[in-house]
Amino acid sequence: MMPASSATGDKAPPKQTATNASATGSLIIPQIAIAVFTETEELARTAEAAASDRRLQRTRLTVHGGGLPAAIELYGKGPTPNLIIVETTAENAALFAGLNALADVCLTSTKVIVIGHRNDITLYRELIEQGIHEYVVAPLDVMSLIATIGRLYKSAGAQKLGKVCAFFGARGGVGSSTVAHNTAWSLASSFDSDVLLIDMDLPFGTAGLDFNIEAAQGVMDAISDADRLDDVLLERIMTQRGERLSILTPPLALTNAYDLRETDFNGLIDIARSSARLTILDLPHMWTAWVKRLLTDADDVVITAAPDLANMRNVKGVIEFLRSTRPHDSPPKLVLNQIGIPKRPEIKAPAFATAVALEPSLSIPFDPALFGNAANDGRMIGETSARSPVARSFDELAHSLISGKAVSRPARKGINALAARLVGRR
């Protein structure tokens, strides 16, 4: 029959319930063909939804009715795919007879997952002994199905993949790069995490200025030599800022046009995942195919906006885009920046949140002296004023990206409404 699984016979068959998207966010499932054979409408809907998820974008997933008998009939006439997933309600004798018949028409390299409706440890052990690669108990949600597939293609000694977080400004000039750079610095300095910051604003990026660094190589060197790019080459072209923060700066040359293809960053992002615990993508404020692709594929998205009408409209549009392209992921994190500019009318945070249907994770006050001094010195807020509420805000945002939990904002008394929205002490 199919090659034996490495699963042990002592563990119980997995009962699949709702799975947090962050648990599967960094899964990389290879370019394989998957066929799902269902007996119930519920699993058919789940499989169809999984087929459009970003984590399975490299696969070719098809859904068929008829369960195990349909799989046997189909593959008696043609080659089997890399992975077959069959749902069954058959009793033991009929089930094993059907699986043996399927084995007769399967390639030895084909993996098989059985989705059953009985939480039976004895059945589970017998299936594993027969060479079934996994047995899971219905019902499954989309993320549980994806996680089950991912486990089959993650080798025992595989390096743990890091997360990718995309920072995007609702409009130009709202401070998305400042938020991204300070969060990256906080992750590296306050949480001892290996962080890679990639400034993707190729003609006008500010990472070099903000960190006071001059780099001979950067982003364009990484993507222009994609065929040779590996972790060794990536390390060579990165610029170190401290022990744990690595930075890829843009070329800042206006002699060339940067007309990039949607897939130009794929190789870089794949290598980055294996090189750092968290990769920060500082995206430019533009709406191109490659920007949309990076927003869709990121594990987390942080949107920075100012509290005005145009920003509110743009945030709402970006959120709607992300909900349509990332239906099984957590919502983006919203940062309201430049709060309290003198004499500027602004939309209050509660009204902004109601309009975009997303509560802000952070609200950062307008403080031109603090941010201006840090920028002029090529330093981060945490280096300039480590005890300031703004520095603590970046720490809280950094912690939420590592932990996958919402930013903590405990209630505080005796301060004004604006300060109450800042992240309190942990």
Side-chain angles (χ1 to χ4, degrees), residues 54 295-301 322-329:
R54 63 183 178 87
L295 283 170
T296 298
D297 291 350
D299 300 308
D300 286 298
V301 176
L322 293 174
R323 284 174 179 159
S324 66
T325 60
R326 299 159 53 90
H328 312 117
D329 286 87

Side-chain angles (χ1 to χ4, degrees), residues 28-34 55-61 82-83 153:
I28 299 295
I29 297 173
Q31 188 173 343
I32 57 174
I34 305 171
R55 299 162 188 83
L56 295 182
Q57 63 182 345
R58 305 180 189 213
T59 70
R60 301 187 312 278
L61 189 150
N82 304 97
L83 173 62
Y153 292 91

Side-chain angles (χ1 to χ4, degrees), residues 64-145:
H64 313 265
L68 187 53
I72 297 167
E73 180 180 0
L74 178 62
Y75 297 122
K77 304 172 183 177
T80 52
N82 304 97
L83 173 62
I84 298 174
I85 302 174
V86 293
E87 181 184 21
T88 180
T89 55
E91 295 299 323
N92 287 23
L95 172 59
F96 283 103
L99 290 173
N100 284 327
L102 179 62
D104 289 340
V105 298
C106 273
L107 298 172
T108 56
S109 59
T110 297
K111 299 178 185 291
V112 175
I113 295 173
V114 175
I115 299 175
H117 292 260
R118 287 183 292 155
N119 193 8
D120 185 336
I121 184 62
T122 301
L123 173 62
Y124 174 77
R125 290 173 177 170
E126 291 176 352
L127 289 170
I128 296 300
E129 289 172 1
Q130 289 292 322
I132 296 301
H133 292 80
E134 185 63 277
Y135 174 72
V136 293
V137 181
L140 282 80
D141 60 21
V142 171
M143 299 312 299
S144 296
L145 179 59

Side-chain angles (χ1 to χ4, degrees), residues 4-20:
S5 162
S6 60
T8 63
D10 290 331
K11 66 179 184 179
K15 176 71 173 178
Q16 300 299 331
T17 55
T19 301
N20 192 309

Side-chain angles (χ1 to χ4, degrees), residues 5-8 111 150-161:
S5 162
S6 60
T8 63
K111 299 178 185 291
R151 284 194 297 269
L152 290 186
Y153 292 91
K154 182 178 180 181
S155 60
Q159 182 178 4
K160 186 174 181 180
L161 295 173

